[in-house]
Amino acid sequence: ISFVFGIRDIDDGYIFDMNDRGHLHLMPIDLHRLVTLDFFKQFIQDLGKRNDLFLSNYDLERDFNAFYQLSKQNSFIDEVKYNLSKTNPLEMMNETIRDAIIENNQRSALKEAMQCITGTAGENNIPIEFCQEQLKKQRSYSWTVLLDKPSSIDGSVRPFAIFITIRGNLNNTNYKSYDVYYRKIKDFFDPYIKKYAPIHLKHGWFSSPTFAFYGIQRETVVGSYSSLVVSLGIALLVLFLTSGNLFIAIYALITMTFSINVAIAIFATLKWELGIVEAIILIMSVGLSVDFVVHFGVGYIHADPNRIDRERKKVRNRYLSTTPESSSFRLLWKEHEVEREIRVRESISRVGSAVFMAAFTTFAAGFSMIHASLTAYREMGQFLMTIMLTSWFFAMFFFLPLCAILGPVGAYGSIPFTRIALHFKRCIHRN
């Protein structure tokens, strides 16, 4: 796990160009300030205390302590003492002046450290032995200082980023384990940075090469569900505009949701693992399952009104002749009941055979693919067979019975498209 300071976690590369790496968004790390070094020292010590997240921080502490001593020691000790002795004691009592002197000395020490790291020891009277003595303490690259190009003015090298790397203690590689582990690190790091980090280091973030595949998996899971919800919303709008009735659109959406959930349960039973192909298949399930309920819904709405009126009159006359003193509510319920029955019967008689043949042919196409050796083809065949079976079954044995019990009657819940069109036409002529 690498904790990064000095670079913002911004990816501004073109998302459709894998070779576009974008630009580095640098932030000041002020490595010459003691408050920065003290924070890193305490942070590294606290990493070693989290045995539930990380392994030993021994090498990390050794690397940092070598750099810490290197950046705090100044080979010009006599010069520093001379500068301090020349300073007015009254000025040394002023915190601003004293901090400025200390920061200037610390900056000089950091400059020497950078020259040692970049192999320019011997310049500016820096003893080679001094660099070798400090650099031989480094054991690994757990503490890494990224350096900028040498300055064209004085040749000094400026550090622009810090990488603090420590091994994690995650042994499992499944998605659930990675997800729990990632969230634990995030719950530790984000509050820690917010509470203890100096202002100029609050941009820190963490990453790991092992999180690359986890990131793909997480985006696949989140993207699959969000795309599924968006697809269902679009399907609801299309159903509403196609059928022209709000209740038919809602009943169709409920039917699609049930059929898709059952299909996903079947995929889980078949030991599918969510990947790119599987995510695309899940999103496609909305488009394939909407066809049958749309046909049945439109057939229900566009039933023959003359036949409905005749059957309602028959029910009314028969009911009034047998029970002349009955309540109007029971009579209205009987009329609505017979209207729903007629609408369902006409819907089945009009589009039932076409819907069945469409489901059967697509099911057969999927059956021809399930024996393929390639996993993508085999899963596509299983998907076609499953989604055709579940969507036809729920459209036939859930959507139509639901319409027979609670379906809209007359123009209830329908959109008056004709009136809306006439209204807009009149408005246009007036203008």
Side-chain angles (χ1 to χ4, degrees):
I1 311 298
S2 296
F3 300 91
V4 183
F5 298 89
I7 304 174
R8 296 285 302 276
D9 56 338
I10 298 176
D11 183 6
D12 58 358
Y14 186 52
I15 59 175
F16 296 113
D17 185 1
M18 297 178 60
N19 297 320
D20 188 356
R21 301 300 180 90
H23 303 84
L24 286 179
H25 297 264
L26 303 181
M27 296 291 292
I29 54 176
D30 296 341
L31 199 56
H32 61 278
R33 297 174 57 183
L34 286 177
V35 64
T36 303
L37 295 173
D38 291 339
F39 164 75
F40 285 139
K41 184 177 182 179
Q42 185 62 43
F43 176 64
I44 292 172
Q45 292 177 357
D46 292 336
L47 289 179
K49 298 177 182 178
R50 293 302 304 265
N51 296 326
D52 58 324
L53 299 178
F54 312 106
L55 298 180
S56 173
N57 67 335
Y58 179 75
D59 289 341
L60 176 59
E61 280 195 309
R62 288 291 300 267
D63 288 352
F64 175 76
N65 288 334
F67 181 84
Y68 187 75
Q69 296 174 9
L70 184 64
S71 59
K72 290 193 67 175
Q73 291 182 10
N74 197 312
S75 60
F76 301 105
I77 301 296
D78 296 334
E79 182 180 346
V80 174
K81 291 181 178 179
Y82 175 77
N83 291 336
L84 293 177
S85 63
K86 295 281 291 183
T87 306
N88 192 325
L90 295 178
E91 292 181 350
M92 288 298 295
M93 296 178 63
N94 188 314
E95 292 185 3
T96 303
I97 297 177
R98 186 173 69 249
D99 291 344
I101 294 174
I102 294 174
E103 183 173 323
N104 183 57
N105 294 328
Q106 181 67 22
R107 194 187 300 273
S108 177
L110 180 63
K111 181 179 178 180
E112 294 180 16
M114 293 299 101
Q115 289 176 337
C116 286
I117 292 175
T118 55
T120 56
E123 298 182 7
N124 300 326
N125 298 321
I126 301 177
I128 298 178
E129 295 79 9
F130 173 77
C131 290
Q132 293 177 345
E133 180 184 355
Q134 299 299 328
L135 293 178
K136 71 180 181 180
K137 299 177 182 179
Q138 184 170 348
R139 297 172 57 88
S140 67
Y141 293 96
S142 300
W143 166 267
T144 305
V145 181
L146 299 185
L147 307 175
D148 203 349
K149 296 179 180 180
S151 173
S152 58
I153 299 176
D154 57 358
S156 61
V157 180
R158 182 182 69 88
F160 70 89
I162 298 294
F163 277 67
I164 299 175
T165 305
I166 187 171
R167 292 189 62 183
N169 65 353
L170 180 64
N171 296 321
N172 297 322
T173 57
N174 58 74
Y175 171 76
K176 186 176 182 181
S177 299
Y178 264 112
D179 187 55
V180 173
Y181 183 67
Y182 175 83
R183 295 182 186 279
K184 282 185 178 180
I185 297 180
K186 189 173 180 62
D187 292 340
F188 157 73
F189 182 72
D190 290 349
Y192 189 95
I193 291 296
K194 185 177 181 180
K195 184 177 182 180
Y196 298 109
I199 299 294
H200 60 282
L201 295 178
K202 289 189 179 297
H203 62 271
W205 50 284
F206 68 93
S207 182
S208 172
T210 57
F211 287 153
F213 187 66
Y214 161 72
I216 296 176
Q217 289 180 310
R218 186 181 62 178
E219 292 302 322
T220 301
V221 172
V222 175
S224 298
Y225 285 112
S226 60
S227 299
L228 199 59
V229 171
V230 172
S231 299
L232 288 172
I234 296 174
L236 177 62
L237 178 62
V238 172
L239 287 166
F240 184 51
L241 296 176
T242 304
S243 64
N245 189 279
L246 178 61
F247 292 98
I248 292 296
I250 294 175
Y251 295 163
L253 181 65
I254 295 173
T255 305
M256 291 168 52
T257 304
F258 285 158
S259 65
I260 292 172
N261 286 335
V262 172
I264 293 175
I266 294 175
F267 297 152
T269 305
L270 295 174
K271 304 297 183 181
W272 280 27
E273 293 184 359
L274 186 61
I276 303 298
V277 176
E278 291 78 10
I280 296 174
I281 287 175
L282 290 181
I283 299 171
M284 288 172 57
S285 63
V286 177
L288 291 178
S289 62
V290 73
D291 293 340
F292 302 151
V293 288
V294 165
H295 285 83
F296 283 129
V298 172
Y300 180 92
I301 291 297
H302 295 284
D304 186 5
N306 296 325
R307 183 185 175 188
I308 293 174
D309 291 338
R310 289 195 304 268
E311 294 297 329
R312 291 189 64 163
K313 288 179 181 179
K314 290 180 181 179
V315 171
R316 188 184 306 114
N317 295 333
R318 188 184 312 115
Y319 195 80
L320 292 177
S321 62
T322 55
T323 53
E325 296 181 357
S326 61
S327 63
S328 59
F329 174 77
R330 295 187 63 182
L331 175 59
L332 186 62
W333 173 258
K334 289 290 184 181
E335 292 180 0
H336 288 177
E337 190 177 38
V338 71
E339 179 179 345
R340 294 189 183 101
E341 182 181 350
I342 293 171
R343 288 181 179 274
V344 170
R345 286 179 179 274
E346 285 207 8
S347 178
I348 296 175
S349 63
R350 285 186 176 184
V351 298
S353 59
V355 166
F356 174 77
M357 289 306 299
F360 177 76
T361 52
T362 309
F363 182 90
F367 180 77
S368 66
M369 301 172 64
I370 62 172
H371 301 289
S373 57
L374 194 62
T375 303
Y377 287 165
R378 185 170 62 252
E379 289 184 348
M380 182 61 71
Q382 294 172 352
F383 161 70
L384 290 176
M385 293 174 61
T386 303
I387 201 66
M388 287 298 106
L389 183 63
T390 57
S391 57
W392 179 83
F393 181 85
F394 274 94
M396 192 72 183
F397 299 105
F398 178 80
F399 176 73
L400 290 177
L402 184 62
C403 290
I405 298 172
L406 299 175
V409 294
Y412 191 71
S414 298
I415 311 172
F417 286 113
T418 306
R419 294 182 181 178
I420 295 175
L422 290 175
H423 177 72
F424 276 105
K425 187 176 181 179
R426 292 173 183 172
C427 292
I428 292 174
H429 284 301
R430 288 177 183 176
N431 295 333

